[in-house]
Amino acid sequence: MLHSTVTSTLILSLSLLSAASPIPWLAARGTSVTEAQILKFAPSSNSCANPPAEGECATAKTAAKYASQSFQTYKVSSKAEQAAILSLMAFESDDFKYNKNHFPGTPGQGTRNMQSPAFNKKYASSIPALSSKIAQVANDPAALLDLLRDNETYDFGSGAWFLTTQCSANVRSALQTGSESGWQQYISDCVGTSVTDERKAYWEKAVDALGVKV
Ligand SMILES: *[C@@H]1O[C@H](CO)[C@@H](O)[C@H](O)[C@H]1NC(C)=O
């Protein structure tokens, strides 16, 4: 009798936990993103067969693992911020097929959000595990980028690093609302580029995929 009560209580709790986000705050926060969510806005990352650039392609599965890790490292638990970071990375890397700038091919520009060499230098300097290697590549932007590209943790971590260390508190709080104007501010005032229809389409799909708007 006691056994069956315990069992049914356990089953009830488990089914509550596994139901599709019965509690709004459970859906709205958390650092994990899934392969299925990434495929919704970066559908061509389902495969790395015949990659356009040798050694640069990553699948949605890899992206989900290391992006989730980066959200934990940099404490990005807002789904609106995650959608902005992920859509930027997917747009800039052509669904994770590239992690170096090819057009025109600026040396040292890269990682998944394609940040510029100056930011890669700052980013690499912030990583304790790279401290002994930084001096040798200080005057070689391409080699510095290779240090970051060599480890998926760093390659996929730059988007969350950039938002949490290079954007103002105002940009972050506007972005966290999930509004289009908040996202526009992030793109223009912090990333430093312009909003285009293609960028916006990525962002809108990522917002849907991550359940930013319910
Ligand atoms: C990548 O970086 C992380 C964090 O510093 C480290 O724990 C991991 O061992 C590195 N992976 C490789 C393959 O070097």
Side-chain angles (χ1 to χ4, degrees), residues 66 69 73 127-130 133 150-154:
Y66 291 100
Q69 194 186 85
T73 300
I127 299 171
L130 291 180
K133 296 175 179 166
D150 274 352
N151 185 323
E152 284 122 326
T153 298
Y154 309 145

Side-chain angles (χ1 to χ4, degrees), residues 82-94:
Q82 292 171 14
I85 292 169
L86 284 168
S87 59
L88 178 73
M89 295 201 297
F91 174 80
E92 293 288 345
S93 67
D94 194 5

